[in-house]
Amino acid sequence: MMQINAEEREIVELVARFVDRAVRPVARDLEHANTYPAALIEQMKQLGVYGLVIPAPYGDFAVSMACYSLITEELARGWMSLAGAFGGHSVVASLLVRFGTEDQRARYLPRLATGELRATMALTEPDGGSDLQALRTHARPDGDTYVINGSKTWISNARHSGLVALLCKTDPTAVPAYKGISILLVEKVPGFTVARDLPKLGYRGIESCELHFDDCVVPADALLGGEAGKGFTQMMSGLEIGRIQVAARAIGVARAAFDDSLSYAQQRSTFGKPIIEHQSISNYLADMATGIMAARQLNLFAAARVDAGERADMEAGMAKLFASEMAAKVTLDAVRIHGGYGYSTEYDVERYFRDAPLMIVGEGTNEIQRNVITRQLVQRGGLGR
């Protein structure tokens, strides 16, 4: 918490109290029923969660990236799906803050800040996965409009978002390919269909959908920043925030699994003593706590670089990679500590175990993160000092 000021610390603590009071008591039932958490979303709006990256005059104020990370962590500690409910929204808002035209900022940011308008980003395609330069969704210039055709998949919050930052090709002939990619700000207009909700192992309650664009017409001023061919670079910078957010989600899930395990290990007795006194169990807990602490420090380091205006793609990639792998291990170890109860749907541990893998494959798979890290190590000449 050293990187945030007293005011931001109060905000984090406010969110933590909200999680303990309003989220944790209902999360299990909502998750098992795969119910959209409308009431909790409304409370998050009141807390200002949807405006965390939007500065004045469009929002009340923007918190530091370190504070944003810690708030995400707290929400994920209660229910990871709630942290996912504003992840893509924050990326889109940050893209508008950094790259939007003045008209685009004035049109969208005030409503995004209050949560009146929610946003998501649409990158992944059915056959493309993490290879964003190979995307097939295209937008053909036609006078003062663009005509969009193509499909996207695994788009979180698509059904409840009124604005989609669509990554698409506006010049399919560009060489290299990324120079022909742009971001269009697409509202719910004719030709844009939110298709089926995809069934998932975890991350329930928040929808992940397929999107279809069939001769969908948007005005030319929907082009983010007003200049074509900048979308790939714009989105890559936005994903620094996205990956810090995903890392924070992983840390929050791991914290919840650790907290439950620490409590259970002190209450459950075998062979005449609490299981925390068995070395095998205490070793699990020590390793879990160490991994969580290390992941948080790595994520705060990435956040500090963003706050300083420095490039952070390697650092955010490292944080996302380490935190997500850590969460997968911690949640499995939590199941081990709980024994048969860890496999029971009457305990939250099985939910943590199902939620953790999302952070490994989401926001760029961990295999992609390793590529990003290695490429940056070469360009920077190693880790430096």
Side-chain angles (χ1 to χ4, degrees):
M1 302 283 280
M2 295 299 292
Q3 293 186 32
I4 63 175
N5 59 37
E7 184 178 11
E8 289 186 334
R9 189 172 296 111
E10 289 181 3
I11 297 172
V12 175
E13 291 171 354
L14 176 65
V15 173
R17 289 194 297 271
F18 161 70
V19 166
D20 291 331
R21 171 183 54 81
V23 178
R24 288 186 63 83
V26 301
R28 185 188 308 164
D29 289 342
L30 288 173
E31 199 271 349
H32 286 173
N34 198 18
T35 300
Y36 181 75
L40 295 177
I41 295 292
E42 288 303 315
Q43 293 179 70
M44 287 166 59
K45 291 178 183 178
Q46 295 300 315
L47 288 171
V49 167
Y50 283 92
L52 290 175
V53 301
I54 302 174
Y58 308 107
D60 291 336
F61 66 95
V63 301
S64 67
M65 189 50 48
C67 180
Y68 174 83
S69 170
L70 292 169
I71 288 171
T72 299
E73 185 180 319
E74 289 296 339
L75 287 167
R77 178 177 64 84
W79 184 16
M80 192 276 290
S81 294
L82 286 184
F86 74 100
H89 175 97
S90 297
V91 173
V92 176
S94 69
L95 289 172
L96 279 160
V97 169
R98 294 182 63 184
F99 304 112
T101 65
E102 184 50 47
D103 178 68
Q104 289 168 345
R105 293 183 187 129
R107 188 187 320 166
Y108 294 121
L109 286 177
R111 290 185 292 149
L112 290 175
T114 63
E116 172 195 346
L117 175 67
R118 291 176 56 194
T120 191
M121 52 183 178
L123 284 66
T124 305
E125 298 191 352
D127 297 322
S130 295
D131 185 6
L132 296 182
Q133 294 193 54
L135 56 83
R136 298 180 181 178
T137 299
H138 60 276
R140 174 175 52 84
D142 184 15
D144 58 356
T145 66
Y146 283 97
V147 181
I148 308 169
N149 283 280
S151 297
K152 298 289 183 177
T153 192
W154 292 112
I155 309 306
S156 295
N157 302 291
R159 202 168 295 284
H160 288 86
S161 293
L163 180 67
V164 175
L166 176 71
L167 196 69
C168 59
K169 286 190 174 179
T170 48
D171 182 4
T173 66
V175 178
Y178 75 86
K179 291 188 174 181
I181 294 174
S182 303
I183 295 174
L184 291 177
L185 302 170
V186 183
E187 301 181 43
K188 298 290 179 66
V189 295
F192 172 18
T193 304
V194 179
R196 69 186 182 111
D197 290 13
L198 296 163
K200 296 170 293 187
L201 171 70
Y203 192 28
R204 296 179 181 174
I206 300 300
E207 75 279 13
S208 299
C209 304
E210 294 176 344
L211 310 183
H212 299 304
F213 299 89
D214 300 294
D215 289 333
C216 175
V217 179
V218 298
D221 64 6
L223 182 68
L224 179 66
E227 185 177 355
K230 301 293 185 182
F232 187 81
T233 302
Q234 292 167 341
M235 189 60 76
M236 288 305 100
S237 68
L239 287 179
E240 291 180 0
I241 294 175
R243 285 165 182 167
I244 288 171
Q245 209 259 5
V246 168
R249 285 196 233 175
I251 297 164
V253 171
R255 276 183 59 198
F258 171 78
D259 290 345
D260 286 7
S261 297
L262 181 63
S263 176
Y264 182 81
Q266 295 174 83
Q267 297 170 15
R268 170 76 163 135
S269 292
T270 62
F271 304 102
K273 59 184 179 181
I275 64 173
I276 197 169
E277 295 181 20
H278 296 297
Q279 188 174 17
S280 57
I281 300 300
S282 64
N283 284 350
Y284 277 136
L285 291 166
D287 289 346
M288 292 160 79
T290 302
I292 291 167
M293 186 66 72
R296 179 186 289 151
Q297 295 308 311
L298 193 57
N299 206 32
L300 289 175
F301 178 70
R305 287 186 64 92
V306 172
D307 286 333
E310 298 175 347
R311 183 170 183 171
D313 51 348
M314 182 177 79
E315 291 77 10
M318 286 178 169
K320 190 267 187 188
L321 169 64
F322 184 84
S324 59
E325 297 290 350
M326 175 275 298
K329 183 179 186 305
V330 164
T331 55
L332 176 57
D333 288 347
V335 172
R336 295 179 192 272
I337 290 170
H338 282 74
Y341 291 116
Y343 204 64
S344 169
T345 57
E346 294 181 351
Y347 283 69
D348 291 325
V349 173
E350 60 87 26
R351 166 163 57 90
Y352 310 144
F353 179 68
R354 288 185 290 103
D355 278 346
L358 173 70
M359 277 69 77
I360 290 176
V361 299
E363 211 79 15
T365 65
N366 279 359
E367 289 68 33
I368 289 294
Q369 303 312 311
R370 290 181 172 96
N371 292 343
V372 170
I373 292 164
T374 304
R375 186 164 57 247
Q376 280 300 299
L377 288 171
V378 171
Q379 291 183 10
R380 299 186 194 188
L383 283 173
R385 296 180 182 176

